[in-house]
Amino acid sequence: MGQKINPLGFRLGTTQSHYSLWFAQPKNYSEGLQEDQKIRDCIKNYVQKNIRTSSGVEGIGCIEIQKRIDLIQVIIYMGFPKLLIENKPRGIEDLKINVQKELTCVNRKLNIAISRIAKPYGHPNILAEFIAGQLKNRVSFRKAMKKAIELTEQADTKGIQIQIAGRIDGKEIARIEWIREGRVPLQTIRAKIDYCAYTARTIYGVLGIKIWIFIDEKE
């Protein structure tokens, strides 16, 4: 039996850190967790509505949330922050107002900052969005995978593995297809591996995309 584990959870404390940093009493923990989810969903929905790109890539790598007693600090790591700022000069202010509506932050201030990812296609979430956009436009899955690998090679990564599962190309029987380029040492804890699982909704069903990117290894 294969014992599967999320590569990010497997490396917590060595090469991977938490995306949410806060402490809560056990009875308030679930509220804090739901609040985090609301913030993330609200940001993603806002970006989806306000960014129209030809490739269908929103470019959100990850969202970090840090909470203190009087402050909620949100850092959005984006591959293409210009798209959000160019379309709307008050983009961040509008986003802040939207998130505040969702939350009941009575005594807490909300801060939102946008940080640019230097090599966007070296990040699995942005790459998965790119592949999902290609699959929705009826591009062959092999072409989409190869193009994604070309894009990551430009971002100086050491290895990548892409897996697509579901009714690929509209076939009646679901199957799994995968491709690997370079090294992807999943069993090595000191290896810094970035991972994401993404759902692509196509006209013939839902496809699951998983991406593992081997960035670097700690000595």
Side-chain angles (χ1 to χ4, degrees):
M1 290 273 298
Q3 306 290 314
K4 305 290 186 294
I5 185 167
N6 188 307
L8 303 180
F10 188 45
R11 291 171 174 77
L12 267 180
T14 50
T15 59
Q16 182 67 29
S17 56
H18 290 276
Y19 288 143
S20 291
L21 294 171
W22 48 269
F23 291 95
Q25 294 295 328
K27 60 180 180 185
N28 301 330
Y29 176 75
S30 60
E31 282 173 27
L33 205 59
Q34 284 166 353
E35 195 175 62
D36 278 12
Q37 196 56 47
K38 270 185 191 171
I39 292 171
R40 290 198 166 96
D41 290 346
C42 187
I43 290 169
K44 281 176 183 168
N45 291 341
Y46 179 85
V47 171
Q48 229 165 18
K49 281 177 192 166
N50 290 288
I51 288 186
R52 290 273 175 272
T53 57
S54 53
S55 60
V57 177
E58 292 154 25
I60 295 181
C62 65
I63 299 167
E64 265 186 23
I65 299 170
Q66 299 168 12
K67 291 184 194 169
R68 297 184 206 146
I69 296 166
D70 55 347
L71 176 73
I72 299 174
Q73 174 76 34
V74 180
I75 304 166
I76 307 167
Y77 289 91
M78 288 187 83
F80 317 102
K82 275 186 187 174
L83 294 173
L84 184 65
I85 296 157
E86 272 174 13
N87 292 1
K88 287 195 164 190
R90 293 187 65 252
I92 297 173
E93 286 300 313
D94 289 351
L95 177 57
K96 203 169 164 182
I97 292 160
N98 270 22
V99 174
Q100 268 168 338
K101 278 180 195 167
E102 286 288 317
L103 301 178
T104 50
C105 41
V106 188
N107 308 321
R108 289 179 298 175
K109 196 181 165 203
L110 178 70
N111 259 354
I112 294 179
I114 291 180
S115 178
R116 185 176 171 272
I117 299 170
K119 292 173 180 169
Y121 289 112
H123 203 287
N125 278 327
I126 296 170
L127 208 58
E129 277 177 17
F130 169 77
I131 293 171
Q134 296 282 303
L135 294 173
K136 281 176 192 169
N137 296 337
R138 307 274 192 95
V139 173
S140 142
F141 74 95
R142 280 205 176 84
K143 259 190 189 172
M145 281 173 158
K146 280 176 181 166
K147 180 71 182 151
I149 283 173
E150 279 172 30
L151 289 169
T152 28
E153 278 170 0
Q154 293 165 16
D156 298 334
T157 53
K158 293 193 174 180
I160 177 172
Q161 182 175 322
I162 302 171
Q163 178 184 301
I164 300 177
R167 288 184 55 190
I168 301 168
D169 289 343
K171 296 278 171 17
E172 291 201 359
I173 294 174
R175 67 187 199 276
I176 294 174
E177 293 282 350
W178 64 277
I179 188 169
R180 186 193 294 142
E181 190 74 39
R183 276 179 68 221
V184 186
L186 295 178
Q187 298 296 309
T188 315
I189 295 181
R190 69 173 182 274
K192 185 166 173 46
I193 285 182
D194 223 342
Y195 164 82
C196 93
Y198 190 87
T199 307
R201 299 181 187 282
T202 62
I203 54 166
Y204 40 77
V206 171
L207 298 179
I209 301 168
K210 287 183 178 178
I211 297 180
W212 294 260
I213 294 179
F214 176 36
I215 299 164
D216 204 0
E217 196 163 351
K218 269 189 176 181
E219 289 304 322

